[in-house]
Amino acid sequence: MAKRKLIIDVDTGVDDAQAIMMALACPDVDVLAITCVNGNTMLDQVYINTLRVLKTCDRMDIPVYKGTYKSLIGHDLSSEGQRYHGSDGLGDCPEAEPPYPNLIQTEHASIALLKLVNKYPGEITLVTLAPLTNIAVALRLEHNFTKKLKELFIMGGNIEGVGNVTTSAEFNFCTDPEAANVVLNEVSCPTYLVGWEVCLRHAQNWDWYEKVIERETKKAKFVESIMRSTRERNKNVIKRPFHSCDSLAMAVALRPDKIEESALHYCTVECRGELTRGQMVIDHRGLLKKDKKIKVVTKFDVRIFRELYEALFN
Amino acid sequence: MAKRKLIIDVDTGVDDAQAIMMALACPDVDVLAITCVNGNTMLDQVYINTLRVLKTCDRMDIPVYKGTYKSLIGHDLSSEGQRYHGSDGLGDCPEAEPPYPNLIQTEHASIALLKLVNKYPGEITLVTLAPLTNIAVALRLEHNFTKKLKELFIMGGNIEGVGNVTTSAEFNFCTDPEAANVVLNEVSCPTYLVGWEVCLRHAQNWDWYEKVIERETKKAKFVESIMRSTRERNKNVIKRPFHSCDSLAMAVALRPDKIEESALHYCTVECRGELTRGQMVIDHRGLLKKDKKIKVVTKFDVRIFRELYEALFN
Amino acid sequence: MAKRKLIIDVDTGVDDAQAIMMALACPDVDVLAITCVNGNTMLDQVYINTLRVLKTCDRMDIPVYKGTYKSLIGHDLSSEGQRYHGSDGLGDCPEAEPPYPNLIQTEHASIALLKLVNKYPGEITLVTLAPLTNIAVALRLEHNFTKKLKELFIMGGNIEGVGNVTTSAEFNFCTDPEAANVVLNEVSCPTYLVGWEVCLRHAQNWDWYEKVIERETKKAKFVESIMRSTRERNKNVIKRPFHSCDSLAMAVALRPDKIEESALHYCTVECRGELTRGQMVIDHRGLLKKDKKIKVVTKFDVRIFRELYEALFN
Amino acid sequence: MAKRKLIIDVDTGVDDAQAIMMALACPDVDVLAITCVNGNTMLDQVYINTLRVLKTCDRMDIPVYKGTYKSLIGHDLSSEGQRYHGSDGLGDCPEAEPPYPNLIQTEHASIALLKLVNKYPGEITLVTLAPLTNIAVALRLEHNFTKKLKELFIMGGNIEGVGNVTTSAEFNFCTDPEAANVVLNEVSCPTYLVGWEVCLRHAQNWDWYEKVIERETKKAKFVESIMRSTRERNKNVIKRPFHSCDSLAMAVALRPDKIEESALHYCTVECRGELTRGQMVIDHRGLLKKDKKIKVVTKFDVRIFRELYEALFN
Ligand SMILES: [Ca+2]
Ligand SMILES: [Ca+2]
Ligand SMILES: [Ca+2]
Ligand SMILES: [Ca+2]
C-alpha cells in the first residue's frame, strides 16, 4: 500500500519537534516537506530548529521551506511562545555545530506548498502545528488550493474560550487570527481541529514521560535535553502534567481512526475583540447559516497516543 | 430573625415571572421593590407583566419602578427575547382586565434603587434577572452604590463562550454588554453569577414540571398558561428539557448555602468583538491582574431548586 | 425682554473658566446652573475650579452640581487634559483660601438638569464644554429629556478627522465617545456643534490677547494668572496663536445670529476604531439615512467673538 | 536617456482605463507589466477589460497578470465599484469580439511583481490604482520587496475622513483596508499618495472634457463610449464636474516634478472602526512616533494634468 504523503507546517518549538519526530517514526507515512513560519520563535530560528530535528533523525533529505516573517496583516511575532520554550524555542540547549546555511530552499513555503499539491492533487495530508500564515498566503495565491489537499489537520484554537496566551485565545490562533479565520472559512477539504482545552484533557502524568524518555537512543537524549526546562517548570512550578499539543494533533493525523469523539461545526475566529481577539468561535446552533465543515476533535484514544509517542524514540 | 431584604431587577418574561413568584413564596424574604428594564419585551410591557405577576400573588403592595428604555449606550432592545416568550413576553395569553395605570411609580428605577440602598445600607440583596442597564445607570449616579448592597446575584453571561442569542453571547449580557461590563468591573459587594451553560446543566425533565404544574392553585394555573407555548416548543420541537434561568438564579439567591461548586474569578465582558460582543470572559489565569471578585456558580443543589420551585405554587 | 436661561456643563479648565465668565458678562443671559463632569481635571477639582470662577465674578449664587466620576461605560478620566492646563486644570496658581465645602449641592448633575428642564420646558439653552457624560446619563434617566430643551450648543468633536489628544479625536469626544454618540444620536432639539478644527481656524494673535488681558480688573488678573503657563507654551514653544475652544463655543451660543457658515448634517461618533475611537463622523452623502439634525458651525463672526471676549473682563 | 520602467496595478474600471492609456501615451515610459486585482469589477472581468484597453492602444505585447480574488483577509469584493461604472466596470458597452483566452499569464500577479523587481532592482516605478491586495501579498512573500522598487505611487485613501463608498472610506482602501495598512506601514521606498478629496479638488469642467473627447481617434471613441453613462450621471444627475482619480494619480507618477503641494506624514489605515473601517489616518502631530514616509500630495499642476490627459488620445 502506498504511504500517506504528509506536509507539516511548523514553528519549531519543543512541541513541534516531538510531533515531527512522531511523524518520521511512522512507517506508513512519507513526509514530503516541512514548511516554517514565525511562531514559537523567529522564522530563521524556526528553520534552524527544524533542521536540527531532522538531523537528529537522520532525515536531512526532507526539504524545509521558509515562509512568512510576519502575520498576514503584518503584525510582528508574539514573543510569548518564544519565552515559553526558551529563547531559541528549543529549551536553550544549542548544538556545538554551526547551522546549515547550504540547505536553505529559496522558494517561499506557500509557493512550495502550492507546487506540491499541484504535483500530487488529492493525495497530500497537511498537518499544521503553527500560526496559519503560510496556509492563508497560499490561499491568496490560489484560492482553491485546499481543494487539492486530501485532508487538513490543525493544532490550534480553543473550544470553550479558554486561552493560553491571553484570557481567551490559544497561541497559534492568537498569533495570526486573520490567517486562522481565512483557513477555517475557506478550507474545502476534510478538516480536523485539535484545540487547546482538548490537549489539556489528554495530558499524561510525568512518571510515564520520564520512563519513556529514559531510553538510551539519540532521539530520547535530544528530546530530554530540549524538554528539560519545560519539564522542570510544568512539573515542579506550575504543577501541570505532561502535555504536547503538537504531538497530540500529529497522533490524530496519523491515526484519525482512533478519534473517539468529535463533531462537525462551523468554526470561525474572532478578529476584533478587545479580549477575545484570536478566540475560536463555534456556531453550536447554526445561527450563521454556514457549512459545518470543521471536525472538532474532543477525544482521542489515549493508548494510541502513548504508543505513537513512545515509538518516536526508536 | 429579620427577613432578608430583596430587590429584584426584571424584564418580565416568563422566566422572571417564575423567579419573582419563587421569591414571594419564600417566608424569610421581604421583597422591597421590583425594578423593570427593557429586555424580554418592551419596558412598558415589562411593567404590566410584572404587575400581573404581583396581582396573581396578591402582592400589589410591592412598588414596581420603570427604568431605562434603551441600553446604556443607546441601542434599542433586541427583539430576540421578545419572540422567545411570545410578543408580550408572557406567552401571549393576556388578561381580560385592563392594565394598571394608577400604580405607576414616577421615580426612575435607578433612582429608586439608590434611595433604598441609602435607606438600608448593607442590608439589601439585589437579584438581577435582566440586562444590567438600571444597575449601570445607578453606578453612574453614585459610583460607590454597590458598596451599600449586602450582596448581588446576577443571572447572565456564560462561562464557556456558548451563546443563546448569538453564537457567543447570552441574552441579558448581549442586550447590554456595556452595562454588564460596568457592573462586573465596578461592583464592590459579594457577587454571585449564574451563567447560561450552568442553567442548561440544571435542566429538569418535563415529567417533573408537568406534575408540579398540575396543581389547582391560581398560581399554578397562571404559570401553566404563560409557559404553555414555551413548553410546547421546547418539549416537542427543540426536544430540550425544562429550564428556567431566572428561577435557578433566584434559588441560588434564596439559598446560597446550597451552592455545591463555585469559584472566584475576575470576569469581564467583551464589548467589541464581531461575533463575541456580549460574551463573558473569565480570566482563568489571572493575566489581567484584577481582583477575583465574582463568584461564578457552576453547581447548585438540585433538590433544593426543585423544592423552592414547587413551593412557588402554594 | 426675558433673559435667555442658560445651563453650562463644564470640566473647568482654563478654557471653561473663560467661557463661563463670558456668559456671566452677558447682560441678556441668566445662568441657572453649572453642572460639572470629569475632564480637564478630576471631578472634585472641576467643582472647586468652577466655584473659584464664580467667586471671581461674585456670582456664588449660581448653583453648581457634581456629575459623573467616570465615563458612561466606566473608563477613568483621560489625564491628557489635566496635564495640558496644569495639574489642577487651572494653570497651577491656587488660591490662598481653602475650598468651599459648604456650597456642595448634593443632587447629581444629571438629576439637577432633569429637574430644571422640567421646571422650564422649552426655555433652557444648554451649553456643553466638556465630555458629554452628564447629558448621556440624563438621557438614560429620561429618554426624551432633550425635547424639553430650547437648544443645545456643543463644543466637541472634529470635522476632518484631526485630533488633539489622539491622531483622530478631540478631547471632549475622546474622553467619552459613547456619551457623545448617545447625545448626537438621541438629541431632539436644535443643536449646534463647534469642532476642534473650527476652533483652530478662529485663533487670534497673541498681541490682541495681551492687550485685552492687560486691564486692571480682578477678572483680567485672574485669567492672566490661570492662562500664564498655557500662553507661555503656546506662544513661545509650540508657536500656536491664541485659541479658546470653550470661549468660541460660548460666543456661538450667545450670538447664534453671527454664525457665518454652517451646515446641517447627521453626525455620529466612532466608538470602536483602534485609531479613530472618539472621532466624529459626518455623513456628508446621507449614506446612513438618518436625520440631518446637527448644525455643524464652520465660521463665526470674528469681531463678535473678540467683543464678547473683551467684555468678559469688565 | 533610459525610459522609466512602470508597472501598473489595476482593477480596470473606466478610471484605470484612462490612466493606463495616459501611461502608454507617454514617450519616456516603458510599461513592463499590468497586474490585476478584484475591485471595480470581478477579477476575471478586470483582466478582460485591461486587455481591451491594451488592444485599443495596439499594445497587446504588454503582459497582464491576474492576482487575488479576495481581499487579504478573505472578504469578497465590494460590489459598489462595480455598479458605479456599470456591471462590467467599463460602462457596459462590450465589444463584439470574444475575449482573449490565449493571452492569460499563468503566474500570479504578486509573483510576477516579485520576479520583475528582482530582475530590475531599484528601477521600477509601481503605480497602484486599485485595492492593494496584490502588493500586500507580495510583501508577505518577500518582506523587503518594496526596498527593490524605485518608487511607489498610490491612488487611494483620504485625508480628511471624507468617504466615497462609506461615510468615511475611499473605495480602494475600503475594499481591502488590511492590505492598505500593510503597504503604508511596511513600504520602504519613496511613496506618493493621491487621496480622494485631492482628486475632487482637481476636477475639471465637462466642457473641457467634451472638447478633448471629440477627437476622431480610436482611443477617443473608446473613452467616449466607456465614459458615456458615467458622464451622463455625473454631469446631469449628480451635477459633479469631471474627475478621474486614477488619471490624476498617473499624472502625478508621470510628472512628480509638477507636484505643487505635498507633505510627508506617517499614514495608516483604520481597520476596526464601525464607521471608519478603511479610513486613512494621518498622524499630523507625530503622536505614534513612526517614520513620516508617505508623501501626501495635495496639489498638482492642473495644466500638466490636462496636457497629459489630452495626449492620451493621440
Ligand atoms: Ca507549534
Ligand atoms: Ca429575565
Ligand atoms: Ca472644557
Ligand atoms: Ca482603479
Side-chain angles (χ1 to χ4, degrees), chain D residues 11 16 40 129-130 172 246:
Chain D
D11 61 337
D16 309 70
N40 274 303
L129 310 174
N172 286 347
D246 292 348

Side-chain angles (χ1 to χ4, degrees), chain B residues 16 26 56 58 63 72 74 83 96 104 118 160 171 173 175 185 196 206-207 217 249 253 272 277 290 292 296 298:
Chain B
D16 309 70
C26 198
T56 304
D58 291 318
L72 189 62
R83 287 194 304 276
I104 293 177
N118 281 307
E160 294 173 356
F171 177 77
F173 277 30
T175 302
N185 275 282
W196 168 241
W206 284 107
D207 288 350
T217 67
R272 299 234 190 137
R277 179 167 160 76
K290 298 285 186 80
K292 293 173 181 292
V296 177
T298 43

Side-chain angles (χ1 to χ4, degrees), chain B residues 117 122-127 135 139 143-154 183-193 264 291-295:
Chain B
V117 297
E123 292 184 50
I124 292 175
T125 296
L126 176 59
V127 184
I135 320 305
L139 276 160
H143 66 287
N144 57 1
F145 145 59
T146 58
K147 263 201 194 109
K148 300 175 184 167
L149 286 174
K150 185 181 170 209
E151 54 192 354
L152 171 64
F153 291 84
I154 297 171
V183 174
L184 293 188
N185 275 282
E186 300 184 22
V187 70
S188 50
C189 64
T191 301
Y192 301 75
L193 183 138
L264 272 179
D291 269 4
K292 293 173 181 292
K293 61 184 179 183
I294 310 294
K295 186 164 266 191

